[in-house]
Amino acid sequence: MRAVNIRYGAFQRASGVVTGAGYIYDKAEQNERNCTDRTLNSYVLVYVLAGSGMYKDAMTRERKVTAGDVIVLFPGLQHSYHRVDLTEIWSECFIEFRGEIFVALERDGVISRSSPILSPGLQEALIAESDAIIRDYQSAGPGDEALFAARAHLLLIRCVDAHKHTAQSPNSRSFLTAACARLQEALDRDLEIPELARSFGMSDRAFRRRFAELAGMAPTHYRLLQRIAVGRALLTDTELPVGEVAEKLGYCDVQFFSRQFKQITGMTPSYFRRSPQPRKR
């Protein structure tokens, strides 16, 4: 499991509290077994950033989840989720929370155990807010509980609202799944979007517009996020020099790689590698 920015806290507040937050890149098979027939005592928002798999719980039938889906895990509800193809990368971010304000969301029907999968798509604003919560949480301490609970509460509501307003017909879901899979291929090589569009029987403009409508970002930006995610994993799990990491990702200019890496993560590759390694989930 390639894991970064994972932390669990021991904060206590009856009204609401975030108790864990982090990223998991390229989830390992052992970690997936830990998500089999599991029951938690907290709510967890799992935002799938790359890959696809299956989810099931004690109340709902098994269903497919893919990049851009949000799995809402409920306390006391046994559940499982896993990849179908173990060669496929599964990456996610998660925020774990508990308390009365989240119980109220369920009681009022904003979130429901009968509909645990939200499909807002890979919306840049939702990804950015998730990332901000995770990163700020790494340095949070006693006294910050109310702020993080409020931010988690708002993020969850925004995911629900985005789900309601995103077209999710079978055709659109099939297109998005296939397009994301193609955009994740051969990250070390250039990909011509017009050529990709033609493979879907679409013009370049129509493909870009359709993808942005469903994913919440341009296809080129989605591919950049996948490339940087692999770069993070290489910096975390290997001792390859930054230049070699850039080369493996198809960059001819290590400085350009560093600029794009900082643009997405807020840190240079060298600073990211030097940062303390967090505890794994």
Side-chain angles (χ1 to χ4, degrees):
M1 175 182 65
R2 296 167 178 169
V4 297
N5 285 358
I6 292 182
R7 177 184 171 214
Y8 287 89
F11 305 152
Q12 299 295 325
R13 181 178 284 266
S15 60
V17 62
V18 172
T19 54
Y23 284 97
I24 296 178
Y25 294 109
D26 195 3
K27 179 179 285 190
E29 186 176 353
Q30 175 59 44
N31 189 250
E32 289 191 331
R33 287 195 289 268
N34 294 338
C35 296
T36 301
D37 296 330
R38 179 178 64 172
T39 303
L40 303 175
N41 59 7
S42 301
Y43 295 90
V44 183
L45 182 155
V46 177
Y47 201 158
V48 183
L49 303 176
S52 62
M54 304 300 294
Y55 169 88
K56 66 176 181 179
D57 60 40
M59 290 184 61
T60 62
R61 62 177 176 80
E62 187 172 58
R63 59 166 293 181
K64 186 174 183 178
V65 290
T66 190
D69 284 344
V70 170
I71 307 172
V72 182
L73 306 177
F74 291 82
L77 182 63
Q78 188 180 76
H79 63 271
S80 304
Y81 60 94
H82 59 88
R83 291 170 294 174
V84 174
D85 180 359
L86 294 179
T87 66
E88 182 180 18
I89 289 176
W90 172 296
S91 299
E92 68 183 54
C93 64
F94 70 91
I95 299 172
E96 180 180 307
F97 43 84
R98 63 175 70 135
E100 295 170 2
I101 60 173
F102 303 108
V103 172
L105 288 179
E106 183 178 359
R107 183 179 63 242
D108 294 342
V110 178
I111 54 176
S112 171
R113 294 174 188 238
S114 62
S115 302
I117 308 298
L118 306 174
S119 298
L122 290 166
Q123 298 205 16
E124 192 165 3
L126 296 178
I127 294 173
E129 179 56 23
S130 301
D131 183 76
I133 291 173
I134 291 166
R135 294 190 178 280
D136 291 347
Y137 184 72
Q138 305 308 306
S139 58
D144 295 329
E145 299 97 321
L147 174 61
F148 279 97
R151 291 173 69 179
H153 182 273
L154 182 58
L155 175 63
L156 184 54
I157 290 175
R158 285 175 171 166
C159 287
V160 171
D161 186 61
H163 168 74
K164 291 178 179 178
H165 290 88
T166 299
Q168 289 297 324
S169 68
N171 287 340
S172 66
R173 287 183 61 85
S174 176
F175 166 77
L176 183 60
T177 299
C180 286
R182 293 288 302 278
L183 288 165
Q184 291 174 33
E185 294 176 353
L187 293 172
D188 60 329
R189 299 200 298 269
D190 290 337
L191 177 66
E192 296 295 332
I193 300 299
E195 183 178 334
L196 176 59
R198 285 193 294 272
S199 73
F200 282 88
M202 303 171 72
S203 69
D204 179 34
R205 182 179 179 182
F207 176 84
R208 291 175 187 271
R209 183 174 62 247
R210 185 60 171 157
F211 187 90
E213 287 174 352
L214 295 172
M217 66 183 72
T220 51
H221 189 67
Y222 175 82
R223 186 168 171 83
L224 173 61
L225 291 178
Q226 306 312 307
R227 182 176 279 179
I228 297 303
V230 173
R232 279 170 151 169
L234 289 172
L235 291 166
T236 300
D237 292 353
T238 76
E239 296 181 358
L240 290 174
V242 173
E244 289 189 30
V245 172
E247 186 177 349
K248 281 185 173 293
L249 293 172
Y251 287 89
C252 299
D253 182 350
V254 67
Q255 296 302 321
F256 183 53
F257 166 65
S258 295
R259 286 198 299 273
Q260 287 202 325
F261 190 93
K262 186 174 182 180
Q263 175 189 345
I264 300 301
T265 69
M267 294 179 281
T268 65
S270 297
Y271 185 84
F272 176 85
R273 171 168 273 168
R274 291 196 305 268
S275 62
Q277 294 301 306
R279 179 160 61 92
K280 293 187 176 184
R281 188 179 180 190

